[in-house]
mmCIF file with all atom_site columns, all heavy atoms in Angstrom:
data_model
loop_
_atom_site.group_PDB
_atom_site.id
_atom_site.type_symbol
_atom_site.label_atom_id
_atom_site.label_alt_id
_atom_site.label_comp_id
_atom_site.label_asym_id
_atom_site.label_entity_id
_atom_site.label_seq_id
_atom_site.pdbx_PDB_ins_code
_atom_site.Cartn_x
_atom_site.Cartn_y
_atom_site.Cartn_z
_atom_site.occupancy
_atom_site.B_iso_or_equiv
_atom_site.pdbx_formal_charge
_atom_site.auth_seq_id
_atom_site.auth_comp_id
_atom_site.auth_asym_id
_atom_site.auth_atom_id
_atom_site.pdbx_PDB_model_num
ATOM 1   N N   . ALA M 1 139 ? 77.670 85.821 70.617 1.00 0.00 ? 139 ALA M N   1
ATOM 2   C CA  . ALA M 1 139 ? 76.882 86.869 71.260 1.00 0.00 ? 139 ALA M CA  1
ATOM 3   C C   . ALA M 1 139 ? 76.204 87.767 70.207 1.00 0.00 ? 139 ALA M C   1
ATOM 4   O O   . ALA M 1 139 ? 75.020 88.117 70.299 1.00 0.00 ? 139 ALA M O   1
ATOM 5   C CB  . ALA M 1 139 ? 77.738 87.696 72.170 1.00 0.00 ? 139 ALA M CB  1
ATOM 6   N N   . LEU M 1 140 ? 76.980 88.106 69.181 1.00 0.00 ? 140 LEU M N   1
ATOM 7   C CA  . LEU M 1 140 ? 76.396 88.955 68.111 1.00 0.00 ? 140 LEU M CA  1
ATOM 8   C C   . LEU M 1 140 ? 75.333 88.211 67.347 1.00 0.00 ? 140 LEU M C   1
ATOM 9   O O   . LEU M 1 140 ? 74.318 88.803 66.948 1.00 0.00 ? 140 LEU M O   1
ATOM 10  C CB  . LEU M 1 140 ? 77.509 89.377 67.130 1.00 0.00 ? 140 LEU M CB  1
ATOM 11  C CG  . LEU M 1 140 ? 78.602 90.296 67.699 1.00 0.00 ? 140 LEU M CG  1
ATOM 12  C CD1 . LEU M 1 140 ? 79.654 90.575 66.687 1.00 0.00 ? 140 LEU M CD1 1
ATOM 13  C CD2 . LEU M 1 140 ? 78.010 91.622 68.190 1.00 0.00 ? 140 LEU M CD2 1
ATOM 14  N N   . ASP M 1 141 ? 75.514 86.906 67.116 1.00 0.00 ? 141 ASP M N   1
ATOM 15  C CA  . ASP M 1 141 ? 74.509 86.147 66.385 1.00 0.00 ? 141 ASP M CA  1
ATOM 16  C C   . ASP M 1 141 ? 73.202 86.038 67.141 1.00 0.00 ? 141 ASP M C   1
ATOM 17  O O   . ASP M 1 141 ? 72.107 86.011 66.561 1.00 0.00 ? 141 ASP M O   1
ATOM 18  C CB  . ASP M 1 141 ? 75.053 84.724 66.094 1.00 0.00 ? 141 ASP M CB  1
ATOM 19  C CG  . ASP M 1 141 ? 76.117 84.724 65.011 1.00 0.00 ? 141 ASP M CG  1
ATOM 20  O OD1 . ASP M 1 141 ? 76.197 85.705 64.258 1.00 0.00 ? 141 ASP M OD1 1
ATOM 21  O OD2 . ASP M 1 141 ? 76.869 83.765 64.910 1.00 0.00 ? 141 ASP M OD2 1
ATOM 22  N N   . VAL M 1 142 ? 73.285 85.952 68.517 1.00 0.00 ? 142 VAL M N   1
ATOM 23  C CA  . VAL M 1 142 ? 72.104 85.883 69.292 1.00 0.00 ? 142 VAL M CA  1
ATOM 24  C C   . VAL M 1 142 ? 71.268 87.180 69.190 1.00 0.00 ? 142 VAL M C   1
ATOM 25  O O   . VAL M 1 142 ? 70.043 87.163 68.968 1.00 0.00 ? 142 VAL M O   1
ATOM 26  C CB  . VAL M 1 142 ? 72.420 85.631 70.769 1.00 0.00 ? 142 VAL M CB  1
ATOM 27  C CG1 . VAL M 1 142 ? 71.207 85.846 71.668 1.00 0.00 ? 142 VAL M CG1 1
ATOM 28  C CG2 . VAL M 1 142 ? 72.994 84.265 70.967 1.00 0.00 ? 142 VAL M CG2 1
ATOM 29  N N   . ILE M 1 143 ? 71.955 88.337 69.235 1.00 0.00 ? 143 ILE M N   1
ATOM 30  C CA  . ILE M 1 143 ? 71.312 89.616 69.078 1.00 0.00 ? 143 ILE M CA  1
ATOM 31  C C   . ILE M 1 143 ? 70.783 89.781 67.627 1.00 0.00 ? 143 ILE M C   1
ATOM 32  O O   . ILE M 1 143 ? 69.682 90.252 67.416 1.00 0.00 ? 143 ILE M O   1
ATOM 33  C CB  . ILE M 1 143 ? 72.261 90.757 69.465 1.00 0.00 ? 143 ILE M CB  1
ATOM 34  C CG1 . ILE M 1 143 ? 72.723 90.660 70.854 1.00 0.00 ? 143 ILE M CG1 1
ATOM 35  C CG2 . ILE M 1 143 ? 71.592 92.146 69.204 1.00 0.00 ? 143 ILE M CG2 1
ATOM 36  C CD1 . ILE M 1 143 ? 73.735 91.656 71.281 1.00 0.00 ? 143 ILE M CD1 1
ATOM 37  N N   . TRP M 1 144 ? 71.611 89.357 66.662 1.00 0.00 ? 144 TRP M N   1
ATOM 38  C CA  . TRP M 1 144 ? 71.272 89.506 65.261 1.00 0.00 ? 144 TRP M CA  1
ATOM 39  C C   . TRP M 1 144 ? 69.988 88.656 64.912 1.00 0.00 ? 144 TRP M C   1
ATOM 40  O O   . TRP M 1 144 ? 69.282 88.998 63.988 1.00 0.00 ? 144 TRP M O   1
ATOM 41  C CB  . TRP M 1 144 ? 72.482 89.004 64.421 1.00 0.00 ? 144 TRP M CB  1
ATOM 42  C CG  . TRP M 1 144 ? 72.299 89.111 62.961 1.00 0.00 ? 144 TRP M CG  1
ATOM 43  C CD1 . TRP M 1 144 ? 71.635 88.286 62.100 1.00 0.00 ? 144 TRP M CD1 1
ATOM 44  C CD2 . TRP M 1 144 ? 72.900 90.136 62.120 1.00 0.00 ? 144 TRP M CD2 1
ATOM 45  N NE1 . TRP M 1 144 ? 71.763 88.674 60.801 1.00 0.00 ? 144 TRP M NE1 1
ATOM 46  C CE2 . TRP M 1 144 ? 72.528 89.855 60.793 1.00 0.00 ? 144 TRP M CE2 1
ATOM 47  C CE3 . TRP M 1 144 ? 73.654 91.229 62.361 1.00 0.00 ? 144 TRP M CE3 1
ATOM 48  C CZ2 . TRP M 1 144 ? 72.921 90.640 59.713 1.00 0.00 ? 144 TRP M CZ2 1
ATOM 49  C CZ3 . TRP M 1 144 ? 74.086 92.039 61.305 1.00 0.00 ? 144 TRP M CZ3 1
ATOM 50  C CH2 . TRP M 1 144 ? 73.674 91.723 60.005 1.00 0.00 ? 144 TRP M CH2 1
ATOM 51  N N   . ALA M 1 145 ? 69.764 87.587 65.636 1.00 0.00 ? 145 ALA M N   1
ATOM 52  C CA  . ALA M 1 145 ? 68.682 86.675 65.275 1.00 0.00 ? 145 ALA M CA  1
ATOM 53  C C   . ALA M 1 145 ? 67.296 87.301 65.498 1.00 0.00 ? 145 ALA M C   1
ATOM 54  O O   . ALA M 1 145 ? 66.331 86.802 64.954 1.00 0.00 ? 145 ALA M O   1
ATOM 55  C CB  . ALA M 1 145 ? 68.781 85.384 66.132 1.00 0.00 ? 145 ALA M CB  1
ATOM 56  N N   . PHE M 1 146 ? 67.230 88.361 66.365 1.00 0.00 ? 146 PHE M N   1
ATOM 57  C CA  . PHE M 1 146 ? 65.939 88.979 66.663 1.00 0.00 ? 146 PHE M CA  1
ATOM 58  C C   . PHE M 1 146 ? 65.772 90.258 65.857 1.00 0.00 ? 146 PHE M C   1
ATOM 59  O O   . PHE M 1 146 ? 66.728 91.017 65.684 1.00 0.00 ? 146 PHE M O   1
ATOM 60  C CB  . PHE M 1 146 ? 65.856 89.340 68.151 1.00 0.00 ? 146 PHE M CB  1
ATOM 61  C CG  . PHE M 1 146 ? 65.822 88.149 69.069 1.00 0.00 ? 146 PHE M CG  1
ATOM 62  C CD1 . PHE M 1 146 ? 67.004 87.647 69.594 1.00 0.00 ? 146 PHE M CD1 1
ATOM 63  C CD2 . PHE M 1 146 ? 64.615 87.576 69.426 1.00 0.00 ? 146 PHE M CD2 1
ATOM 64  C CE1 . PHE M 1 146 ? 66.987 86.542 70.433 1.00 0.00 ? 146 PHE M CE1 1
ATOM 65  C CE2 . PHE M 1 146 ? 64.618 86.491 70.294 1.00 0.00 ? 146 PHE M CE2 1
ATOM 66  C CZ  . PHE M 1 146 ? 65.787 85.989 70.771 1.00 0.00 ? 146 PHE M CZ  1
ATOM 67  N N   . PRO M 1 147 ? 64.601 90.501 65.321 1.00 0.00 ? 147 PRO M N   1
ATOM 68  C CA  . PRO M 1 147 ? 64.336 91.805 64.702 1.00 0.00 ? 147 PRO M CA  1
ATOM 69  C C   . PRO M 1 147 ? 64.544 92.923 65.705 1.00 0.00 ? 147 PRO M C   1
ATOM 70  O O   . PRO M 1 147 ? 64.242 92.734 66.916 1.00 0.00 ? 147 PRO M O   1
ATOM 71  C CB  . PRO M 1 147 ? 62.850 91.739 64.245 1.00 0.00 ? 147 PRO M CB  1
ATOM 72  C CG  . PRO M 1 147 ? 62.550 90.270 64.226 1.00 0.00 ? 147 PRO M CG  1
ATOM 73  C CD  . PRO M 1 147 ? 63.433 89.634 65.251 1.00 0.00 ? 147 PRO M CD  1
ATOM 74  N N   . VAL M 1 148 ? 65.096 94.066 65.279 1.00 0.00 ? 148 VAL M N   1
ATOM 75  C CA  . VAL M 1 148 ? 65.442 95.084 66.241 1.00 0.00 ? 148 VAL M CA  1
ATOM 76  C C   . VAL M 1 148 ? 64.229 95.641 67.022 1.00 0.00 ? 148 VAL M C   1
ATOM 77  O O   . VAL M 1 148 ? 64.372 95.889 68.196 1.00 0.00 ? 148 VAL M O   1
ATOM 78  C CB  . VAL M 1 148 ? 66.162 96.254 65.493 1.00 0.00 ? 148 VAL M CB  1
ATOM 79  C CG1 . VAL M 1 148 ? 67.521 95.828 64.991 1.00 0.00 ? 148 VAL M CG1 1
ATOM 80  C CG2 . VAL M 1 148 ? 65.358 96.792 64.367 1.00 0.00 ? 148 VAL M CG2 1
ATOM 81  N N   . VAL M 1 149 ? 63.114 95.776 66.334 1.00 0.00 ? 149 VAL M N   1
ATOM 82  C CA  . VAL M 1 149 ? 61.981 96.329 67.104 1.00 0.00 ? 149 VAL M CA  1
ATOM 83  C C   . VAL M 1 149 ? 61.511 95.315 68.144 1.00 0.00 ? 149 VAL M C   1
ATOM 84  O O   . VAL M 1 149 ? 61.196 95.661 69.271 1.00 0.00 ? 149 VAL M O   1
ATOM 85  C CB  . VAL M 1 149 ? 60.777 96.616 66.092 1.00 0.00 ? 149 VAL M CB  1
ATOM 86  C CG1 . VAL M 1 149 ? 59.546 97.037 66.857 1.00 0.00 ? 149 VAL M CG1 1
ATOM 87  C CG2 . VAL M 1 149 ? 61.220 97.735 65.118 1.00 0.00 ? 149 VAL M CG2 1
ATOM 88  N N   . LEU M 1 150 ? 61.425 94.054 67.763 1.00 0.00 ? 150 LEU M N   1
ATOM 89  C CA  . LEU M 1 150 ? 61.013 93.004 68.725 1.00 0.00 ? 150 LEU M CA  1
ATOM 90  C C   . LEU M 1 150 ? 61.958 92.910 69.951 1.00 0.00 ? 150 LEU M C   1
ATOM 91  O O   . LEU M 1 150 ? 61.491 92.903 71.083 1.00 0.00 ? 150 LEU M O   1
ATOM 92  C CB  . LEU M 1 150 ? 60.909 91.667 68.000 1.00 0.00 ? 150 LEU M CB  1
ATOM 93  C CG  . LEU M 1 150 ? 60.472 90.446 68.868 1.00 0.00 ? 150 LEU M CG  1
ATOM 94  C CD1 . LEU M 1 150 ? 59.072 90.674 69.428 1.00 0.00 ? 150 LEU M CD1 1
ATOM 95  C CD2 . LEU M 1 150 ? 60.548 89.150 68.106 1.00 0.00 ? 150 LEU M CD2 1
ATOM 96  N N   . LEU M 1 151 ? 63.280 92.958 69.667 1.00 0.00 ? 151 LEU M N   1
ATOM 97  C CA  . LEU M 1 151 ? 64.219 92.877 70.742 1.00 0.00 ? 151 LEU M CA  1
ATOM 98  C C   . LEU M 1 151 ? 64.155 94.135 71.561 1.00 0.00 ? 151 LEU M C   1
ATOM 99  O O   . LEU M 1 151 ? 64.314 94.108 72.785 1.00 0.00 ? 151 LEU M O   1
ATOM 100 C CB  . LEU M 1 151 ? 65.612 92.649 70.177 1.00 0.00 ? 151 LEU M CB  1
ATOM 101 C CG  . LEU M 1 151 ? 66.777 92.489 71.178 1.00 0.00 ? 151 LEU M CG  1
ATOM 102 C CD1 . LEU M 1 151 ? 66.433 91.350 72.126 1.00 0.00 ? 151 LEU M CD1 1
ATOM 103 C CD2 . LEU M 1 151 ? 68.126 92.257 70.503 1.00 0.00 ? 151 LEU M CD2 1
ATOM 104 N N   . GLY M 1 152 ? 64.014 95.289 70.893 1.00 0.00 ? 152 GLY M N   1
ATOM 105 C CA  . GLY M 1 152 ? 63.927 96.559 71.624 1.00 0.00 ? 152 GLY M CA  1
ATOM 106 C C   . GLY M 1 152 ? 62.740 96.619 72.559 1.00 0.00 ? 152 GLY M C   1
ATOM 107 O O   . GLY M 1 152 ? 62.829 97.094 73.664 1.00 0.00 ? 152 GLY M O   1
#
Side-chain angles (χ1 to χ4, degrees):
L140 294 176
D141 287 342
V142 170
I143 301 175
W144 184 280
F146 294 91
V148 291
V149 175
L150 180 62
L151 183 58

